[in-house]
Amino acid sequence: MSDGVWAAPGRVNLIGEHTDYNEGFVMPFALPHTTVATVSRRDDGVLRLHSADARGDAVELRVDDLAPGRGPGSWTDYPAGVVWALRDAGHAVGGADIHYESTVPTGAGLSSSAALEVVTALALNDLYELGLERWHTARLCRRAENVYVGAPTGIMDQTASACCTAGHALHLDTRDLSQRQIPLDLAALGLELLVVDTRVKHAHSEGEYGKRRAGCESAAAALGVPALRDVPYAGLERALARLENPEVRPLVRHIVTENRRVERVIALLESGEVRAIGPVLTEGHVSLRDDFRVSCPELDLVVDTALASGALGARMTGGGFGGSAIVLTETSMSATVRTSLLESFATKGRTEPRIFTAIPSPGATRVS
């Protein structure tokens, strides 16, 4: 008999890519796809983890033995890391039996790892009566991923999973963690936002993602600012001229212009000019492709095909090197765009993409 069931969603990012670890602006919303955890508290100091999607038996760990670098390098590092982060922060968390089931696509850039972390933290927060706010659990989940798992991610994914609300995108300032819920009811306007999972897998804890982050940090140091968020859009060209390392200049250009794009999208949404965000999304893809260099042929194929089929805008979303793209389209054009995407992937000999409509959904919650 379990003590309860909790759920946490994946997310898609409307705009604001790679800005979170540069203390900038992001704008994700939660997806209806969730990771569900059925949890029982246990008082013997054992953490027992099982997933319906993983092969093999349940994994048992002793909570007293959890420490960065000691994990097996599997999916269990994410929930184990959360337990470690909670305990390391001084919270009295003991053992638990946790069974996971998930509909969040893995390796698709839709934050399946954050959903796994957040649902674990939410369940333990409730079971052990820790009294943590949602934003606080998100910060602890990020620490678990950064320190325990070793993936240099920012705060966006965990905050989106923990804090988003239905029918809204979350405007998050990743420096002070202030939040604003921005209404995003595309269906009422005859619009759809498609998520196109290219089925090309990536791993944030490996090489290229870390290189981009290190490049941004070195550029900020060279410019004498705490983070690239502090480089003003109006002063971008002057900042670029000051950088002696030509390899980091395009990274800086992307971050500064991407923060500006988040502000533009918010202004357009709040003024009711929702269709006008399409070209801004496409600008974001060009910047990620050419300046940040994190796209791939499949993501570019999605964007090029969607635009040629009449979509209002499209861009890759997530960390890059595979994963998903988003496409803003008139609902009346959605079937045409979907068909064109499937045909273009087949013609190019690529694996058939998974396509679904993104619906702004609630953040993490207790189910029962």
Side-chain angles (χ1 to χ4, degrees), residues 190-274:
L191 296 172
E192 276 188 54
L193 190 75
L194 303 178
V195 174
V196 184
D197 175 10
T198 66
R199 301 186 189 268
V200 176
K201 305 303 182 184
H202 65 88
H204 279 175
S205 57
E206 296 177 2
E208 293 300 319
Y209 185 101
K211 289 179 183 177
R212 300 304 186 279
R213 181 165 186 164
C216 290
E217 291 171 350
S218 69
L223 293 170
V225 294
L228 291 184
R229 180 255 183 76
D230 296 297
V231 178
Y233 179 74
L236 174 59
E237 293 306 319
R238 291 191 299 274
L240 294 178
R242 291 173 52 200
L243 290 168
E244 295 181 2
N245 182 357
E247 293 185 2
V248 301
R249 289 175 192 153
L251 303 183
V252 175
R253 182 164 50 240
H254 168 71
I255 297 302
V256 175
T257 58
E258 186 78 346
N259 278 322
R260 179 63 175 161
R261 280 186 283 273
V262 175
E263 294 174 329
R264 289 166 61 196
V265 166
I266 291 171
L268 289 168
L269 291 177
E270 292 186 330
S271 65
E273 301 174 77
V274 181

Side-chain angles (χ1 to χ4, degrees), residues 57-78:
D57 298 329
V59 174
E60 292 193 0
L61 305 165
R62 294 205 61 81
V63 297
D64 288 341
D65 295 336
L66 298 177
R70 292 187 186 175
S74 72
W75 70 270
T76 60
D77 285 354
Y78 294 92

Side-chain angles (χ1 to χ4, degrees), residues 40-221:
S40 298
R41 175 172 167 166
R42 54 192 298 167
D43 299 318
D44 59 357
V46 172
L47 178 65
R48 186 175 186 274
L49 305 171
H50 183 264
S51 170
D53 301 318
R55 295 177 181 176
D57 298 329
V59 174
E60 292 193 0
L61 305 165
R62 294 205 61 81
V63 297
D64 288 341
D65 295 336
L66 298 177
R70 292 187 186 175
S74 72
W75 70 270
T76 60
D77 285 354
Y78 294 92
V82 170
V83 175
W84 168 81
L86 287 165
R87 288 168 59 86
D88 191 62
H91 301 293
V93 174
D97 276 321
I98 311 179
H99 175 75
Y100 299 97
E101 297 183 42
S102 183
T103 58
V104 183
T106 58
L110 303 175
S111 297
S112 57
S113 59
L116 180 57
E117 293 158 358
V118 169
V119 75
T120 303
L122 182 63
L124 295 175
N125 182 50
D126 287 353
L127 286 182
Y128 283 93
E129 299 179 342
L130 304 181
L132 298 174
E133 298 287 343
R134 293 298 183 88
W135 64 267
H136 197 174
T137 60
R139 292 181 69 176
L140 289 168
C141 288
R142 176 184 63 171
R143 186 158 190 264
E145 189 154 351
N146 289 172
V147 180
Y148 194 95
V149 179
T153 54
I155 190 65
M156 174 181 67
D157 296 352
Q158 294 85 0
T159 304
S161 185
C163 300
C164 279
T165 61
H168 294 78
L170 178 70
H171 176 212
L172 173 67
D173 183 331
T174 64
R175 168 164 286 171
D176 62 14
L177 301 186
S178 60
Q179 303 176 18
R180 279 202 303 152
Q181 301 288 346
I182 309 296
L184 186 68
D185 188 357
L186 297 175
L189 299 171
L191 296 172
E192 276 188 54
L193 190 75
L194 303 178
V195 174
V196 184
D197 175 10
T198 66
R199 301 186 189 268
V200 176
K201 305 303 182 184
H202 65 88
H204 279 175
S205 57
E206 296 177 2
E208 293 300 319
Y209 185 101
K211 289 179 183 177
R212 300 304 186 279
R213 181 165 186 164
C216 290
E217 291 171 350
S218 69

